[in-house]
Amino acid sequence: MICASKAARYHLPYGEGFDPAGTPLPEFLNSRWFTRGWTLQELIAPVEVVVFYNRDWKRIALRQKISHVLKRITGIEENVFHMFGTAGHRVGVRMLLSQFSVAQRMSWASKRRTTRVEDLAYCLMGLFNGHIPLLYEEGERSFLRLQEDIIQHSDDESIFAWRLGLAQLPLTRTTGLLAELPADFAGSGHVVRGEGLGSSSPWSSTNRGFRVTLQLALCGRLDELYHWRRPKKLAFLSRYTKKSNDKSVPIYMVTLNCSSLQDQDNNKLNDIRFLPVIWITRVSKQGQYARIFPQELLTMELAMSRARKTALQTICTQD
């Protein structure tokens, strides 16, 4: 099967996309086709051959031949563009995509835009085998519903491995455990699926949020929580302890059951795996929890995590 993508219909009226030396031209690199939400599925279409054409239907290149350029533009790993060969017909699209964590697939869409905000969620249903009603005018709620649908059939904790891109958030601000938009996963492309480190307890939806079992550690003195390679990474915790009006509110560190292929200094790793870490706090007497410090997503060495006192605990989180 062949899929023809008119990748240049917006910003590349003429030309071949590459110069004679094989270097991609700026017009191709900056084409709006690579930033539109609905074209993500076209880019990773589960077919053997994807051909790019310009506005005049002049052939530019095969997807497989320019996979390194596509990675540079989109951040999607090259193997994604090669995995739908003959194996795709035998194994199936769903199984092939399941090799990539929820966070990785969300990161593919993190820089994409749609005319209607609801379509940021609807255009991703195929990536996650999702099925949610199309309810326009609901705004960002659509992306929350997509994530709720994902957790109904997946226990991949990388769905919680996101961070807000706002540096000047109030320290005491809390959010739900789920992200607000795909853009929150922009820095999560290195987070891969876990390998049996967490709980097998099922997650469930309730009228107060959803219940999930996570690996928690109660924080003591927050600025001395763990021996990180770069202690200044925890400076925000120290600031919080100084500004918080209620020192009795417990804050928990959550070690997610997934792995990071980067350490906390963003260095790529070959053999040492790091675990993503987030923080939650109790926000009601009924035992409801929310995420605190949502602008932070740090990592901790696997060996260090096993040496610390943590426990699996089932919590109810707010939407």
Side-chain angles (χ1 to χ4, degrees), residues 136-150:
Y136 287 100
E137 307 301 333
E138 68 172 335
E140 295 177 1
R141 171 69 187 175
S142 59
F143 187 60
L144 182 61
R145 289 197 297 115
L146 174 64
Q147 293 173 90
E148 291 172 343
D149 182 75
I150 292 172

Side-chain angles (χ1 to χ4, degrees), residues 156-173:
D156 182 357
E157 292 181 14
S158 75
I159 196 172
F160 308 128
W162 55 269
R163 62 185 295 270
L164 293 180
L166 304 175
Q168 303 300 323
L169 285 177
L171 284 172
T172 54
R173 173 178 173 177

Side-chain angles (χ1 to χ4, degrees), residues 24 48 60-61 74 79 94 112 124 127 195 258:
E48 294 183 45
I60 297 175
T74 66
N79 59 332
R94 187 184 308 177
R112 293 188 173 256
L124 299 180
L127 283 182
E195 299 178 358
C258 45

Side-chain angles (χ1 to χ4, degrees), residues 89-203:
H89 301 289
R90 298 194 306 267
V91 178
V93 176
R94 187 184 308 177
M95 183 170 294
L96 287 172
L97 285 175
S98 68
Q99 300 174 25
F100 302 93
S101 70
V102 171
Q104 286 178 299
R105 283 176 276 171
M106 288 292 188
S107 73
W108 300 346
S110 62
K111 297 181 181 179
R112 293 188 173 256
R113 301 292 181 265
T114 55
T115 302
R116 307 191 66 162
V117 65
E118 295 89 353
D119 284 332
L120 282 172
Y122 303 154
C123 72
L124 299 180
M125 287 193 289
L127 283 182
F128 298 99
N129 192 37
H131 302 281
I132 59 174
L134 275 61
L135 305 175
Y136 287 100
E137 307 301 333
E138 68 172 335
E140 295 177 1
R141 171 69 187 175
S142 59
F143 187 60
L144 182 61
R145 289 197 297 115
L146 174 64
Q147 293 173 90
E148 291 172 343
D149 182 75
I150 292 172
I151 65 178
Q152 294 299 318
H153 54 79
S154 172
D155 60 356
D156 182 357
E157 292 181 14
S158 75
I159 196 172
F160 308 128
W162 55 269
R163 62 185 295 270
L164 293 180
L166 304 175
Q168 303 300 323
L169 285 177
L171 284 172
T172 54
R173 173 178 173 177
T174 60
T175 68
L177 211 56
L178 299 177
E180 297 177 357
L181 292 169
D184 297 339
F185 289 90
S188 303
H190 57 86
V191 178
V192 299
R193 294 180 63 91
E195 299 178 358
L197 300 175
S199 169
S200 59
S201 301
W203 302 349

Side-chain angles (χ1 to χ4, degrees), residues 191-294:
V191 178
V192 299
R193 294 180 63 91
E195 299 178 358
L197 300 175
S199 169
S200 59
S201 301
W203 302 349
S204 60
S205 298
T206 73
N207 60 346
R208 292 189 292 124
F210 67 93
R211 297 179 65 85
V212 58
T213 301
L214 298 172
Q215 194 81 23
L216 307 184
L218 180 62
C219 300
R221 284 189 59 188
L222 297 182
D223 54 343
E224 296 180 357
L225 182 59
Y226 283 100
H227 300 291
W228 302 81
R229 287 184 175 179
R230 297 288 296 278
K232 67 179 181 180
K233 292 284 186 178
L234 292 183
F236 69 94
L237 291 174
S238 180
R239 294 197 304 271
Y240 176 81
T241 59
K242 294 177 181 178
K243 293 185 178 182
S244 177
N245 295 323
D246 189 356
K247 300 296 192 299
S248 65
V249 175
I251 295 180
Y252 297 86
M253 189 189 74
V254 180
T255 305
L256 297 177
N257 178 26
C258 45
S259 300
S260 172
L261 298 180
Q262 291 182 357
D263 64 16
Q264 57 195 2
D265 297 318
N266 297 325
N267 298 314
K268 290 187 177 181
L269 306 171
N270 294 322
D271 51 358
I272 301 176
R273 291 290 179 93
F274 278 64
L275 305 181
V277 172
I278 61 174
W279 284 265
I280 62 173
T281 186
R282 191 174 64 232
V283 293
S284 73
K285 294 181 179 179
Q286 290 73 34
Q288 193 176 36
Y289 290 77
R291 181 167 172 181
I292 195 168
F293 318 129

